[in-house]
Amino acid sequence: MTVRFEDVIAWQKARVFIKQVYSVTKRFPMEEKFGLTSQFQRAAVSIAANIAEGYKRIEKDDKLRFYNYSQGSLEECRCYIYLSMDFNYISQDEANTMINEIEETSKILNSYIFAIKNKQNWDD
């Protein structure tokens, strides 16, 4: 059986989060189309895209760099959630759901990063 990036649980969780982001941002005001909406969607997509790209990297440092980019995008999205609440674009419940998804994805990705960092024989 070939393992693919689609099998990585962190990628699967990121995909769920992307759907959440697109669902809430389609209700944002039109004047946010090139502002918060675009930034939020871009950052969310970046989470999954960097996991996918890092997955195929051969070098350990390259792989970890892309997973770190994903972690950065997760935190960027957390910021956008708070801003969205500040402007009353999303409810507290929606924010809580999204933050929980970010935290779960981050924990899974951190475990994956930890395992890669601590693997003794990278060539195995």
Side-chain angles (χ1 to χ4, degrees):
M1 180 175 112
T2 303
V3 179
R4 309 164 307 147
F5 75 83
E6 295 96 325
D7 299 319
V8 175
I9 296 170
W11 181 85
Q12 295 169 5
K13 297 291 285 175
R15 191 171 172 210
V16 169
F17 180 71
I18 292 166
K19 292 175 187 178
Q20 290 174 338
V21 169
Y22 272 78
S23 177
V24 299
T25 57
K26 71 181 174 185
R27 298 189 326 258
F28 284 13
M30 194 55 142
E31 63 264 17
E32 288 292 355
K33 182 177 181 179
F34 300 108
L36 187 57
T37 300
S38 175
Q39 289 292 104
F40 202 170
Q41 291 174 349
R42 180 201 54 76
V45 169
S46 178
I47 299 162
N50 280 306
I51 291 169
E53 188 167 353
Y55 182 79
K56 274 300 188 183
R57 295 294 172 150
I58 295 169
E59 295 295 322
K60 184 178 189 177
D61 288 343
D62 284 345
K63 192 174 283 293
L64 292 172
R65 183 173 17 275
F66 279 94
Y67 296 153
N68 186 250
Y69 293 155
S70 289
Q71 288 288 23
S73 294
L74 281 162
E75 291 308 307
E76 186 177 353
C77 286
R78 184 189 305 263
C79 174
Y80 296 145
I81 291 168
Y82 288 116
L83 292 174
S84 297
M85 273 194 331
D86 290 346
F87 295 117
N88 296 313
Y89 298 158
I90 63 173
S91 69
Q92 182 70 55
D93 286 343
E94 289 171 315
N96 291 342
T97 298
M98 295 174 84
I99 288 171
N100 286 339
E101 199 66 44
I102 283 175
E103 289 174 356
E104 286 180 35
T105 304
S106 184
K107 285 177 188 174
I108 293 166
L109 190 53
N110 276 339
S111 295
Y112 199 55
I113 290 167
F114 183 79
I116 291 167
K117 279 184 174 181
N118 292 303
K119 185 172 181 184
Q120 296 298 331
N121 296 317
W122 183 245
D123 296 330
D124 291 349

